[in-house]
Structures are given as C-alpha cells and as structure tokens.
Amino acid sequence: MARLLQNLMPSKGLARQLPLLLVAAVLSGCILSPPIEPRDEPNYSPRIGPLWPNGIDPYVRVTRDQFANGSIELRAKLFDGNDESELHFLLVSDHDGIIENAIALPAACSSEDDADEYCYGVVDHTVNPCDSGVTIPGTEVITLVVSDRPFRTISPLLSMIEEAPDAIMVTYSWTLNYEAGFCPLDN
C-alpha cells in the first residue's frame, strides 16, 4: 500500500511546479474559452402616439364649424422600444381601402418624448371627404397599421393584413363621423 501511495505522490520537482501548472491551466481556460454569445434582445412592440385631431380620442365628430376648410388632418407619432432601421405602416380606410403604404425612418426625439423608446417621426394624412365618394352624413374608419418588419401580406381588409415572422404589428383607428351639411352639396 505504501508503494501505491508513493507512486501517486508527485516528485519534488513536479510538486514545486504544480502551483504554476494550475495557474497556467486556469489562465489558458479563460484565454481559450469559446466566445461569449450576445444576449438576445427582446423584440418590443412599436407604439402609436396619436396627435390630431383630438389626441387619444379615436372618435371625431366632423362638422363644418370644427373643420371649416373641409379637410381633416390625422397625425400620429411612431415609436419602438428597439433600435429598428425602419418601421412599416399602412393607412387603410374602410371606404377607400389602402390609402398609404410607406416606411418610417428613425427621427430625432423631442424633449417630451419617452426617453426609453426610439422615435420614427410623424405619420401625417389629410382627409378630404368632400372630394371622395364618402357618404355624408355617415362614418369612415381610417386605421393606421404599424409593424417593425415588412408586412407579409397587405390588403384593404384589415383582417387580411399579415405581419412577417417575428414581427409585432399594432393598430390605431380614427372613426370620422361626418354630419349632414359638412360638404356644400352632400354626396
């Protein structure tokens, strides 16, 4: 048994070098370790910040007194929690179908914007109901659809618009209630 223990014990020269060998092994493990994979950043949702005609209220009474020039300007700021290269958006009317299919690029944020999000400018659309075939009196719903990736499919029917894989899509709708007498000769 003593002979077995003697064979397992390192020689005096090796015993002196053992601490250096341990340090070298630890350092080489750190130096030669595989690269650290970057953490996957969660995909945050885009956000729509309605601005006009009446802030966050999606129902707009359209009267001659309120909109004397005969047009309604719909505006919304676009945001995203991720630093996307672009946001994709559609404006869809339940009367006219797809009004606009465009891309919003990163923009400078103003001081009142949330500092935890990236800004993508303002979507601005003017509605001229007297120049279109909208039934007055009546209603029109205009929906802003925003995605952080290109759309897989677009359609004048909101239920047929599909986002791309791994995309997040959000919507905001304005309901415009046109009162009688808004247009000089109501359609």
Side-chain angles (χ1 to χ4, degrees), residues 96-178:
D96 294 327
I98 297 174
I99 300 169
E100 188 173 359
N101 178 3
I103 294 173
L105 298 174
C109 293
S110 64
S111 59
E112 68 268 1
D113 291 330
D114 189 350
D116 293 337
E117 294 180 299
Y118 296 92
C119 300
Y120 289 85
V122 175
V123 173
D124 195 352
H125 178 71
T126 303
V127 178
N128 294 305
C130 298
D131 296 340
S132 69
V134 174
T135 304
I136 297 177
T139 61
E140 177 180 22
V141 178
I142 298 178
T143 303
L144 174 59
V145 182
V146 180
S147 176
D148 58 358
R149 309 278 187 276
F151 295 100
R152 176 182 282 180
T153 61
I154 61 172
S155 169
L157 300 173
L158 292 174
S159 62
M160 302 299 286
I161 298 171
E162 292 182 40
E163 67 267 31
D166 300 327
I168 298 177
M169 186 170 73
V170 295
T171 63
Y172 182 86
S173 295
W174 292 273
T175 300
L176 306 177
N177 181 13
Y178 303 114

Side-chain angles (χ1 to χ4, degrees), residues 7 9 48 137 160:
N7 287 337
M9 296 295 289
I48 300 170
M160 302 299 286

